[in-house]
Amino acid sequence: MKFGQVEDPSIIDFTLPADAPETAAILAANKPKQKFHGSVGCAKWNKADLKGFYPKGTKDELTYYSTQFNSVELNSTFYGMPVSDQIITWKEKTPADFRFFPKLTNTISHFKRLINVKEPVEQFCDAISNFEDKLGMAFLQLHDNFKPKDFDRLKTVVNEFPKVIPLGVEVRNKEWFSNPAIANEFAQLFEEKGIANVIVDTAGRRDMLHMRLTTPTAFIRYVGANHESDYSRLDEWVDRIASWKEQGLQNLYFFVHQNVELASPLLSAYFIQKLNKAIGTDLKIPKMADDKNPPTLF
């Protein structure tokens, strides 16, 4: 994922900002209601992007991927409306504890721009409901130029979205973050509806690190820069997640992207190892099949 890519990552201050004041209140209000759950994965499972991750002769990439990770950010559903048969096929290839996080189709978010989308939203939700217990959370990613002036469209979608399908929303336009009143308005809506406020950590858009949780679920899309700073950035995330868990975080959904995706499993393995040590999770540490010639981050 090249969103927020910069030419020289070394000039970026990657320090995580302080939590929004409302985050502590959200976590405290939900502590402790259920056992903590962590999902960590990549953005895709196709062999071409994750070169060196799959053993030679791997015939089914998803089946193998799901032996190494417990989740995947499902971006393929963004490019085409999912159908039930395909969802069922994916579901049946994975272990019982595996979770899918499908992105709403771009027909809804980018082409129709949330105008008159009740029917395609229902079609999308009907299809992904076939994941059953393996559905982690659907997420809606709005176009970079979808601005607060169109907030009423987002309200309509949020209010009509099927309550049985967990939802996260990622707003991208800078105006959502530059005006505190607007940022507060949409975050309050998400709180009322139980919608996760997706956090994006990418070099060129530090404003998307709003650090405002609207539910006791942290949905984080981390974009490495294929730079030495990728490791220290993840160290800081582990510390923050440990703090949130202590305060009452119930779910962590953390997906690792890279501008050059083949290094994503390597970076994910580093993060999982650190997370397990810090908060006592027991997530499997994925291995590179070609461990003699692993990809480099930078």
Side-chain angles (χ1 to χ4, degrees):
M1 184 170 78
K2 298 185 184 298
F3 176 72
Q5 184 175 8
V6 297
E7 186 173 340
D8 183 5
S10 67
I11 66 173
I12 302 297
D13 179 4
F14 283 112
T15 305
L16 289 181
D19 291 347
E22 298 82 0
T23 291
I26 286 290
L27 296 176
N30 290 277
K31 181 184 180 181
K33 291 189 176 180
Q34 67 183 46
K35 183 179 179 181
F36 177 81
H37 171 79
S39 290
V40 180
C42 298
K44 55 189 72 174
W45 66 70
N46 54 302
K47 196 172 183 177
D49 285 314
L50 303 184
K51 187 176 181 181
F53 173 63
Y54 293 97
K56 291 181 180 179
T58 299
K59 293 182 179 180
D60 192 292
E61 295 158 7
L62 175 57
T63 298
Y64 179 78
Y65 173 96
S66 65
T67 67
Q68 301 297 306
F69 288 96
N70 70 350
S71 58
V72 67
E73 184 189 287
L74 190 56
N75 281 283
S76 61
T77 55
F78 177 73
Y79 299 103
M81 183 67 71
V83 294
S84 297
D85 288 350
Q86 181 63 76
I87 298 297
I88 293 169
T89 297
W90 287 336
K91 178 186 68 175
E92 292 179 346
K93 287 182 176 182
T94 56
D97 63 348
F98 192 82
R99 299 291 179 268
F100 293 87
F101 292 77
K103 185 190 294 187
L104 268 74
T105 309
N106 57 13
T107 299
I108 296 165
S109 57
H110 286 50
F111 297 116
K112 295 179 74 70
R113 298 179 63 80
L114 303 191
I115 299 173
N116 298 324
V117 294
K118 186 174 183 179
E119 184 176 340
V121 165
E122 289 178 348
Q123 182 182 355
F124 179 89
C125 290
D126 284 346
I128 66 169
S129 67
N130 287 281
F131 279 130
E132 298 180 324
D133 291 343
K134 294 184 181 180
L135 175 63
M137 176 175 281
F139 74 102
L140 170 65
Q141 179 189 86
L142 296 176
H143 196 286
D144 302 8
N145 60 20
F146 188 93
K147 299 183 178 182
K149 67 181 179 63
D150 298 317
F151 188 26
D152 284 346
R153 302 181 196 174
L154 179 57
K155 289 180 183 177
T156 298
V157 170
V158 164
N159 286 323
E160 294 180 346
F161 200 83
K163 292 181 173 57
V164 295
I165 304 292
L167 178 66
V169 175
E170 175 186 322
V171 294
R172 284 188 160 191
N173 188 271
K174 293 182 179 181
E175 291 180 17
W176 292 101
F177 310 104
S178 60
N179 186 321
I182 290 172
N184 189 58
E185 186 177 4
F186 82 78
Q188 286 186 340
L189 174 67
F190 292 176
E191 286 182 27
E192 292 168 7
K193 299 298 179 180
I195 292 171
N197 192 13
V198 176
I199 296 172
V200 179
D201 182 349
T202 187
R205 286 295 307 276
R206 308 310 289 164
D207 55 331
M208 294 187 73
L209 280 167
H210 50 76
M211 310 308 278
R212 181 165 180 177
L213 301 183
T214 50
T215 71
T217 292
F219 193 134
I220 299 157
R221 305 181 71 228
Y222 173 90
V223 187
N226 296 96
H227 181 263
E228 59 187 1
S229 60
D230 291 348
Y231 288 109
S232 57
R233 289 170 62 192
L234 286 176
D235 290 342
E236 200 170 346
W237 266 115
V238 169
D239 290 342
R240 186 63 56 92
I241 291 162
S243 173
W244 285 348
K245 182 175 180 288
E246 182 67 23
Q247 295 176 67
L249 186 70
Q250 294 177 6
N251 299 295
L252 170 67
Y253 305 148
F254 196 101
F255 297 100
V256 176
H257 298 249
Q258 278 279 36
N259 294 323
V260 180
E261 287 286 5
L262 61 86
S264 295
L266 190 67
L267 202 59
S268 300
Y270 176 84
F271 175 73
I272 291 172
Q273 186 174 19
K274 291 283 187 174
L275 189 70
N276 284 347
K277 184 176 181 180
I279 66 173
T281 45
D282 189 27
L283 299 176
K284 181 171 182 177
I285 300 171
K287 296 180 179 179
M288 299 296 296
D290 188 4
D291 55 6
K292 294 181 180 178
N293 298 287
T296 57
L297 297 179
F298 44 87

